[in-house]
């Protein structure tokens, strides 16, 4: 009975604990696609540090005709409501630009939402944070 009371008391405190909240800098870093076929580096844009840019820095097809190394896949101008917004994302598979939103979920998951018109009508790609770019095949600098 004593354990049950302790468990109930601990459960009552859970809503009072702050939830994990993303910050603008949380998107910076290296992110592996769900298919494990590319790594994207997100960082402040070179020409506008207040914006977020994403570029492919590793591609499993590096050195082949399907190579996408160096392709910029995102440029988002504003961080608001725990998401990067007001810009575009590029899908190298269909070679199209879309409106885009980037969100960090729980620190190690990045969600890229690409859409036409309104966000609810889009598609989300989930990426995982990685500590480094795989050694091979290497993108040419």
């Amino acid at each position: 009975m004593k354990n049950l009371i302790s468990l109930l008391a601990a459960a009552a405190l859970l809503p009072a604990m702050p939830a994990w909240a993303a910050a603008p800098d949380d998107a910076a870093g290296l992110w592996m696609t769900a298919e494990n076929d590319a790594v994207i580096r997100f960082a402040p844009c070179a020409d506008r540090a207040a914006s977020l840019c994403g570029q492919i820095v590793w591609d499993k097809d590096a050195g082949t005709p399907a190579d996408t190394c160096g392709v910029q896949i995102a440029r988002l101008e504003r961080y608001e409501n725990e998401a990067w917004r007001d810009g575009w994302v590029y899908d190298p598979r269909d070679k199209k630009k879309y409106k885009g939103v980037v969100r960090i979920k729980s620190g190690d998951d990045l969600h890229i939402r690409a859409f036409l018109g309104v966000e609810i009508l889009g598609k989300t790609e989930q990426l995982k944070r990685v500590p480094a770019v795989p050694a091979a095949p290497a993108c040419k600098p």
Side-chain angles (χ1 to χ4, degrees), residues 3 23 29 46 51 79-81 86 102 104 109 125 127 135-136 141:
N3 288 340
S51 298
Y79 187 81
E80 179 181 85
N81 297 327
D86 290 348
V102 169
I104 304 300
D109 291 326
E125 297 278 340
L127 289 78

Side-chain angles (χ1 to χ4, degrees), residues 73 88-98 114 116:
I73 62 100
W88 52 266
V89 296
Y90 175 74
D91 187 341
R93 295 169 293 201
D94 65 10
K95 298 179 177 34
K96 292 183 182 177
K97 278 187 181 178
Y98 300 92
L116 296 171

Side-chain angles (χ1 to χ4, degrees), residues 85 98-101 103 112-124:
R85 308 170 178 280
Y98 300 92
K99 290 182 180 178
V101 174
R103 289 184 176 85
I112 301 176
R113 182 110 179 130
F115 58 95
L116 296 171
V118 293
E119 186 177 342
I120 197 165
L121 299 176
K123 180 181 176 187
T124 301

Side-chain angles (χ1 to χ4, degrees), residues 5-59:
I5 292 171
S6 296
L7 182 63
L8 290 174
L13 292 176
L14 285 177
M17 296 174 69
W20 184 85
D25 293 339
D26 290 341
L30 300 171
W31 301 90
M32 178 71 76
T33 61
E35 297 83 13
N36 294 321
D37 60 356
V39 173
I40 300 165
R41 174 177 287 125
F42 280 95
C45 298
D47 63 340
R48 187 167 187 266
S51 298
L52 180 72
C53 285
Q55 182 177 27
I56 297 173
V57 294
W58 179 83
D59 180 357

